[in-house]
């Protein structure tokens, strides 16, 4: 598990004579590394979760610590330790109030403590915590890829998680501007990881396939929604704003069922990405649960071909529009008048085309089950065509789908 600021303080408070002056409500945040910082200008190089140590050697003015914090806040540092006693003699009530207001831990350590010893000690602890994190991430991947092989993942998960408790997965994609360097992408993800650490107590954050995954254990459902809003708000503050597409899976009981929450989160995330939506909850997907959960795209293609293939072949051979005619028939409930208006075609022509459609399909299309079957085929056709074009979002959702998804 990631090392928390509270862990470092608890383990070394007496040794390094640490005193928490402000932000005591935000000590349960992960620490990614330790840096000696005297100027906030280095903040853009941070990855999130850094613990800052400062001596104030370059300070100007008694409220310099406020200026430092203002430059670091948006980079999700975990806290600031002041090596006080030489350059910083005392910390004013205004500084303490500022740190409390912004929930940023402010800790003092006397000048006599050797910084090199502290930094080395903390970095070693962080490395050990990172190794534990990596082991848990591997176990999660095993749980969602090989759920029946419980012996390969339950022991590792049980060291951190309540494996008999509840699990919920959130899957999201970040749309980085074209040409964004890999390091900048990783930096943005790590900043989000640290931000989530301020919201959620027990979680794992990892990358799998095309999604970032947030896995929650024994978390109230409201907490998942809060975490999602934190992601959305932080991405909006990114420069430039970073579009994000999020899918929330259902909450399941036990680590053995984690795979179900993952698959549902991924399906919701795929739908959010496809329709260019910020957020989709699996439980609200309706019929799209079936379409976006399908693991084998060939099955969907075969279904679509079985339903519409004969009409598509006729249109190719005769430069016709029977597929379009059937679509409007399903969309408009079979009203010839409305179909003629929508297709800018005479009613007699529409009647002729519909007779041809019924003849080729071998059905009168009066049965509700039959009409549902063909409506489903249009949903699938729309999705497969968009996937083939690699989600050309600039065009927006195709009108071939019977429903709007704005």
């Amino acid at each position: 598990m990631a090392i928390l600021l509270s862990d470092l303080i608890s383990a070394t408070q007496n040794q390094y004579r640490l005193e928490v002056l402000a932000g005591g409500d935000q000590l349960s945040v992960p620490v990614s590394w330790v840096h000696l910082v005297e100027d906030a200008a280095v903040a853009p190089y941070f990855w999130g979760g850094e613990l800052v140590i400062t001596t104030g050697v370059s300070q100007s003015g008694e409220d310099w610590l406020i200026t430092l914090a203002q430059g670091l806040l948006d980079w999700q540092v975990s806290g600031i330790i002041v090596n006080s006693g030489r350059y910083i003699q005392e910390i004013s009530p205004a500084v303490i109030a500022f740190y409390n207001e912004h929930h940023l831990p402010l800790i003092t350590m006397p000048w006599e403590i050797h910084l090199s010893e502290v930094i080395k000690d903390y970095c070693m602890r962080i490395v050990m915590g990172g190794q534990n994190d990596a082991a848990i991430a591997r176990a999660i991947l095993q749980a969602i890829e090989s759920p029946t092989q419980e012996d390969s993942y339950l022991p590792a998960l049980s060291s951190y998680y309540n494996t008999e408790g509840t699990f919920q997965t959130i899957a999201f994609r970040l749309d980085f501007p074209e040409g964004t360097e890999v390091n900048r992408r990783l930096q943005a993800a790590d900043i989000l990881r640290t931000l989530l650490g301020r919201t959620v107590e027990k979680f794992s954050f990892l990358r799998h396939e095309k999604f970032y995954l947030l896995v929650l254990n024994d978390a109230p459902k409201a907490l998942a929604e809060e975490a999602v809003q934190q992601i959305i708000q932080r991405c909006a503050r990114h420069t430039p704003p970073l579009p994000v597409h999020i899918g929330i899976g259902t909450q399941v009981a036990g680590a053995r069922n984690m795979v179900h929450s993952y698959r549902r989160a991924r399906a919701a995330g795929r739908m959010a990405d496809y329709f260019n939506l910020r957020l989709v909850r699996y439980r609200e997907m309706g019929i799209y649960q079936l379409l976006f959960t399908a693991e084998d795209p060939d099955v969907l293609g075969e279904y679509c071909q079985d339903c519409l293939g004969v009409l598509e072949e006729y249109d190719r051979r005769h430069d016709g529009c029977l597929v379009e005619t059937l679509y409007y028939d399903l969309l408009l409930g079979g009203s010839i008048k409305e179909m003629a208006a929508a297709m800018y075609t005479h009613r007699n022509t529409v009647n002729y085309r519909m007779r041809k459609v019924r003849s080729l399909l071998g059905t009168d299309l009066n049965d509700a089950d039959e009409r549902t079957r063909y409506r489903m085929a249009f949903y699938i056709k729309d999705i497969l065509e968009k996937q083939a074009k690699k989600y050309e979002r600039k065009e927006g959702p195709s009108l071939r789908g019977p429903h709007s998804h704005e």
Side-chain angles (χ1 to χ4, degrees), residues 55-70:
T55 66
V57 65
S58 61
Q59 69 165 308
S60 58
E62 63 176 14
D63 290 339
W64 171 80
L65 283 170
I66 293 179
T67 303
L68 178 66
Q70 288 171 332

Side-chain angles (χ1 to χ4, degrees), residues 256-325:
R256 299 170 184 81
N257 294 312
M258 192 190 307
V259 61
H260 301 306
S261 183
Y262 159 71
R263 288 174 178 170
R264 292 162 187 171
R266 185 181 62 175
R270 289 173 59 196
M271 180 175 172
D273 183 54
Y274 168 70
F275 286 117
N276 198 22
L277 302 171
R278 281 194 308 182
L279 174 62
V280 172
R281 299 172 181 84
Y282 180 81
R283 67 177 183 272
E284 298 173 357
M285 286 174 63
I287 197 171
Y288 284 103
Q289 289 180 353
L290 301 177
L291 301 184
F292 283 98
T293 306
E295 297 294 326
D296 186 355
D298 290 340
V299 172
L300 297 180
E302 290 169 5
Y303 182 92
C304 190
Q305 177 65 23
D306 288 344
C307 292
L308 304 177
V310 64
L311 300 184
E312 291 175 332
E313 180 63 22
Y314 181 91
D315 286 346
R316 279 193 294 269
R317 289 176 176 269
H318 301 90
D319 192 24
C321 53
L322 296 188
V323 173
E324 181 185 22
T325 303

